[in-house]
Amino acid sequence: MKITFLGTGTSQGVPIIGSTHPVCLSKNPKDKRLRSSILIEKGEKVFLIDCSPDFRYQMLRSNHKKLDAIFITHEHQDHIGGLDEIRPINREKPIPIYGLRRVLESLKKRFSYIFSKNKKSNTSKISIHELDNYTDFFVVEYSKVFPLSIWHGTLPILGFRIENFAYITDASRIPFHTIQQLKGLDVLVLNVLRKVPKHPSHFILYDSLKIIQEINPKKTYLTHISHLLGFHDEVQTQLPKNVYLAYDGLIITKSK
């Protein structure tokens, strides 16, 4: 399995437009973050988790040309804004999109022209698959995918586990039963917004490190990072062993 971090930033990305914050002015490429998304290659199959507004540039930058499925964590703009950009890579057959019913209904409203019966031939082609009733796993291209129940403030959202890899973003609380589903991980990807102050709908660093201790994965990569966390290289020196700041373009590989 090969994992590519297409983006590791929060909803505004880093740098923020017009900001003079030192991190936003950093020349270090690792401090420049597009909106969060991840690409998973498993054999010949390619899965995308979230389709950010930066999707087009992310795919061009990483030289990826295909998708076999898209998993959506939730309906906020920074996680679905690039959906129309899949047009060039799904001309032959629809790409299946998996998410909660509420999320898929939001997609139908925001991208109504894609779902229209009279849609033009050059619009994106997708098929939708509701995950509300899956308490265990679903199968995509011969891979078992486990939907994970997560809370983003008061909004129920999804994380996803494939084999011993799991991706969680925008979490502010992870229920006990989901913690149990995350045991035995080789790699966990988890969100962190900033150091302080506390945030109502995102983990700050203290929260993320506490959850990592509970789950105890072999390695953790932190994502969905704002400029307020600090400079990448400085923060990395302050993290526990086997906890890493992800950055745009980072590629990790893992065996079963």
Side-chain angles (χ1 to χ4, degrees):
M1 188 185 296
K2 179 180 176 182
I3 298 109
T4 302
F5 288 84
L6 298 179
T8 56
T10 188
S11 60
Q12 297 181 90
V14 183
I16 294 174
I17 295 172
S19 175
T20 58
H21 188 281
V23 174
C24 290
L25 299 178
S26 171
K27 301 300 183 182
N28 185 347
K30 292 181 180 179
D31 287 322
K32 300 183 186 302
R33 304 181 184 276
L34 300 178
R35 270 66 70 91
S36 289
S37 179
I38 202 165
L39 203 70
I40 301 168
E41 296 172 80
K42 192 171 181 291
E44 298 298 317
K45 304 303 180 180
V46 182
F47 305 139
L48 177 74
I49 301 183
D50 287 340
C51 192
S52 89
D54 302 311
F55 172 76
R56 174 183 172 276
Y57 178 57
Q58 290 168 338
M59 292 291 278
L60 290 171
R61 183 172 66 173
S62 62
N63 196 32
H64 282 92
K65 302 177 179 66
K66 64 169 286 190
L67 289 177
D68 293 290
I70 301 173
F71 311 133
I72 302 293
T73 61
H74 63 295
E75 66 270 42
H76 288 164
Q77 172 68 8
D78 54 320
H79 296 268
I80 66 166
L83 187 61
D84 191 50
E85 302 291 353
I86 67 174
R87 283 181 292 163
I89 55 178
N90 71 332
R91 297 186 186 280
E92 295 184 6
K93 64 177 182 178
I95 295 178
I97 296 183
Y98 297 81
L100 295 171
R101 181 182 301 111
R102 181 199 76 235
V103 174
L104 298 175
E105 289 300 318
S106 178
L107 293 182
K108 290 179 182 179
K109 292 178 181 178
R110 288 178 161 181
F111 300 95
S112 58
Y113 55 92
I114 296 177
F115 297 89
S116 171
K117 293 181 180 179
N118 300 316
K119 68 180 182 179
K120 297 179 180 179
S121 60
N122 64 344
T123 58
S124 302
K125 297 178 178 66
I126 61 177
S127 61
I128 59 174
H129 303 266
E130 297 177 358
L131 297 179
D132 295 67
N133 295 324
Y134 285 89
T135 56
D136 197 2
F137 64 86
F138 59 101
V139 177
V140 182
E141 297 289 354
Y142 306 104
S143 293
K144 288 183 179 179
V145 182
F146 294 80
L148 306 169
S149 176
I150 307 294
W151 285 96
H152 177 29
T154 59
L155 186 72
I157 67 172
L158 293 179
F160 297 96
R161 175 173 178 163
I162 301 176
E163 294 178 0
N164 291 330
F165 168 83
Y167 183 84
I168 294 172
T169 186
D170 286 45
S172 60
R173 182 169 66 86
I174 302 180
F176 175 78
H177 70 274
T178 303
I179 294 290
Q180 299 308 113
Q181 289 179 286
L182 291 166
K183 295 296 186 179
L185 289 178
D186 291 332
V187 176
L188 170 66
V189 178
L190 185 65
N191 62 292
V192 61
L193 185 67
R194 61 196 186 200
K195 292 180 179 177
V196 291
K198 191 81 171 174
H199 195 279
S201 55
H202 293 271
F203 284 149
I204 61 170
L205 184 58
Y206 172 83
D207 303 319
S208 299
L209 295 179
K210 184 177 179 182
I211 286 291
I212 292 167
Q213 283 187 321
E214 288 187 58
I215 296 171
N216 194 30
K218 291 181 180 178
K219 291 184 179 180
T220 301
Y221 293 85
L222 299 174
T223 192
H224 205 275
I225 298 163
S226 85
H227 62 295
L228 296 175
L229 186 65
F231 293 102
H232 180 281
D233 291 349
E234 292 181 6
V235 175
Q236 183 58 62
T237 65
Q238 302 163 7
L239 296 177
K241 182 180 179 181
N242 294 327
V243 178
Y244 308 92
L245 283 189
Y247 54 87
D248 288 20
L250 172 64
I251 297 172
I252 57 177
T253 57
K254 64 174 293 297
S255 58
K256 290 186 178 181

